[in-house]
Amino acid sequence: MQSLPDVIRPGLRVLFCGINPGLMSAQTGHHFARPGNRFWPALHQSGFTPRQLKPAEQEELLSYRLGITNVVSRPSAQAAELTRAELVAGGEQLVAKVLTAQPEWLAVLGVTAYRDAFGERKAAIGKQDRTIGTTRVWVLPNPSGLNAHYTLPKLAAAFGELERVS
């Protein structure tokens, strides 16, 4: 499996941060590549992109001042396979990426992963008090199809809140 490249550069409006690559994403080299993942539809339906991008078009995000990275780079079938130590170490690496690229917003896709990576036990979906340098932090629901509690309309609405303030 190939490593999944970050889609990142300085000057981003929002850097979206997944938990870790799924196996299909690691195979293809494209973020959120599994067909059941709702990231790309939620991104479009919330107004971040004028059309729904395909995973293979991930580099096009940069033209919208958007990017993607992950808390942990190790691929797995499910995020539940990650250890807390991996998430903490990944959070430290994420801070370094954010301090380098300085996006306006970091959007972490998964409240449990955010809590573990940053030691924020009571974090909830939405804007966080934490900043990383000048970057503000927002937590979004995980768009994985395994997170069935969040339907696509609910996900798009949550993404839309960030789109309106960013």
Side-chain angles (χ1 to χ4, degrees):
M1 276 187 248
Q2 58 184 315
S3 65
L4 198 58
D6 289 334
V7 177
I8 189 172
R9 71 168 181 221
L12 295 177
R13 184 172 125 201
V14 179
L15 176 60
F16 292 94
C17 182
I19 300 168
N20 73 311
L23 299 178
M24 184 174 284
S25 290
Q27 268 182 342
T28 64
H30 302 122
H31 293 268
F32 304 105
R34 180 166 289 288
N37 192 292
R38 285 99 34 99
F39 175 78
W40 298 104
L43 199 66
H44 168 62
Q45 291 179 24
S46 64
F48 274 110
T49 59
R51 66 179 180 85
Q52 185 174 319
L53 300 176
K54 296 178 180 83
E57 298 174 306
Q58 64 189 18
E59 293 293 324
E60 195 171 316
L61 287 174
L62 296 173
S63 68
Y64 305 115
R65 295 183 53 224
L66 304 172
I68 306 177
T69 189
N70 286 292
V71 177
V72 174
S73 61
R74 179 175 72 85
S76 67
Q78 295 183 14
E81 296 173 31
L82 302 175
T83 67
R84 180 164 283 146
E86 282 180 294
L87 288 163
V88 170
E92 292 169 2
Q93 293 170 349
L94 179 58
V95 166
K97 287 180 193 181
V98 168
L99 289 172
T100 299
Q102 299 181 349
E104 293 172 24
W105 289 92
L106 170 67
V108 179
L109 300 164
V111 69
T112 303
Y114 176 80
R115 288 173 182 159
D116 288 343
F118 291 98
E120 300 273 347
R121 307 295 335 137
K122 296 183 180 184
I125 299 294
K127 186 179 183 296
Q128 306 301 303
D129 292 332
R130 169 186 298 272
T131 57
I132 301 171
T134 59
T135 300
R136 293 165 288 181
V137 179
W138 194 283
V139 175
L140 288 167
N142 184 332
S144 166
L146 297 174
N147 187 9
H149 172 71
Y150 273 92
T151 61
L152 180 54
K154 282 184 175 179
L155 277 173
F159 276 57
E161 288 182 47
L162 174 58
E163 198 282 328
R164 283 188 291 284
V165 300
S166 66

